[in-house]
Amino acid sequence: MTYLISLNPATGEPVGEIPTTSLDAIPALVCAARGARSNWSHLSIEARGECLLRAAEDLLQESERLGELLSQEMGKPLRKGISEVRFCAQSIEPRVKQAVAALQSRRSSDGDTESTLYYDPLGVCAVISPWNYPMSMPQWMLLPALLCGNTVLFKPSEETPLIAQAYADVLNRHLPPGVLQVVQGPDQQGRALVEADINMVAFTGSREAGKDIMTRAAVGLKRLMLELGGKDPLLVLDDADLDAAAEFACANSFENAGQVCVATERVYVDRQVLDCFEQRVTERAAQYLAGPWHDAKSRLGPMIHDRQRQHVLDQIEQALASGARLLHGGKDHPPRYITPTVLTDCRSDMWIMQQETFGPVLCIQGYDNLDEALFLANSTEYGLGAVVFGEDEDRAWQVARHLEAGMIGVNKSCFGTVECPWVGARQSGYGFHGSAEGFHQFCQLRVVSKPLSG
């Protein structure tokens, strides 16, 4: 038997180990999921929701234990780890209510025919999740899959297997056997799972991995929900509240050490206010201290591993060599960390302005008019989130409507209400989750019709 060894990213020391799922075992796990499907799918939506509501109580009660494990394994500050667990616990009830409303059958008639639309379970769903939010990211996919009556094979990131297993163990206290099973391992296990006899793959991760999943899933014409990478822009208009814009830019660039799919990675600022904005950003960036998960003073942790750290360093070095100017950080980074970095005089042809960084780097480029700003903001293949800051809200709203992203915020983050889907555009997403429409993606829609009696 082989094991995954989980490492503390701040020290490189082992946090623990867990058995790897053998490739030969995956067909049997799929078979068990199919066997569990009948009873689970025939429960009412309310009954399935009750199972998850009981799990929510356990998550809340054990949030400190689970949050500490999450922070040790992923690296984020302890308060952030505990907060993630509590958020997951507290978000289950509204999602259950949303599912109950979304999955009710609907009737329609046209004078001759009466039809009923049913949102039936799809079958066996693979959920493949990343390491950056190792509880909330899988939950966003697991909840709709389970509430819709599917059984799930959950493949977490090999970087954070312990917290993923602990999370699944809590859920499984209240789920029937075989409804939720965990597949542990690196990429090979993920590829084998995608190619197995399943009905759907829900994935959050890189664009490259998403393309590979799409290729492998095409053989079986499997349903896909892919949330992929981003290169989110922030547009700062000439009338923006610069203090608020700078505060948001730093918070959204440096959160989770920049390891966030909707991190602000490109900032386009009207040249009339560029100098003032740069000053405010530089002042705020100096307040972000990096440190290990148990350091109460730290606001961001280490990079998840040396490969990701080196990727960020390479992007910074290439940008500086190509003419970018350093306003803060950028040099003498402690081992395992990236000091929060602010670059200006960036250009759209730089690697750091085109491809996802996934690190605490804020890149600034000035613009002369809104047409140029929109062209620059829309100049990548990504389209997950975007933000506009401007005091004239109607004007800022019109600018937002020209941004080619799935989620756009005006004077706030790109997060919508609880009723809104999490959706990407372009190469940042294929399908979506959240909202009533998001639940429907995990269902098989069936239409049963009969003649209306004369």
Side-chain angles (χ1 to χ4, degrees), residues 12-52:
E13 297 174 351
V15 179
E17 63 181 23
I18 198 163
T20 300
T21 305
S22 72
L23 298 178
D24 292 340
I26 289 177
L29 295 176
V30 174
C31 185
R34 291 209 175 278
R37 173 188 171 194
S38 178
N39 289 339
W40 180 245
S41 65
H42 282 92
L43 290 177
S44 68
I45 305 165
E46 293 82 1
R48 295 194 291 262
E50 278 299 319
C51 295
L52 294 168

Side-chain angles (χ1 to χ4, degrees), residues 426-439:
R426 292 180 162 184
Q427 294 189 26
S428 286
Y430 188 90
F432 53 89
H433 57 81
S435 76
E437 294 84 359
F439 278 102

